[in-house]
Amino acid sequence: AWMAGDLARLGSRIVGEMRRGSPEFYAAFLLRRNLAWADALDREMSSGAGVQLVNVGALHMIGAEGLPSLLTAKGYQVTRIQ
């Protein structure tokens, strides 16, 4: 699933299990980092023009708390390139 970029399988398998099994670890390892990263990317991208490319690991892409969802909520168009 990781190598294929199958976010649906990764989400339920890895992120879902992490969130259920260790919510504190999930918050520290992914959630807080994604929130801080989304804010930092928003500041950076709003100061310039054009398309920005951001490379992230697959776990940062998953779910409503993943970077694509967080950036979309801030008004950005997010396109995944694999």
Side-chain angles (χ1 to χ4, degrees), residues 44-81:
E44 181 68 25
M45 290 189 291
S46 65
S47 68
V51 174
Q52 302 289 327
L53 174 66
V54 178
N55 296 308
V56 301
L59 292 182
H60 294 285
M61 302 287 289
I62 297 168
E65 297 167 339
L67 284 172
S69 295
L70 295 172
L71 291 171
T72 298
K74 290 179 178 290
Y76 293 98
Q77 178 182 349
V78 178
T79 304
R80 178 178 171 213
I81 300 171

Side-chain angles (χ1 to χ4, degrees), residues 30-45:
L30 282 177
L31 178 59
R32 288 194 303 261
R33 289 172 62 202
N34 284 351
L35 293 170
W37 204 357
D39 288 342
L41 289 170
D42 181 35
R43 284 190 304 276
E44 181 68 25
M45 290 189 291

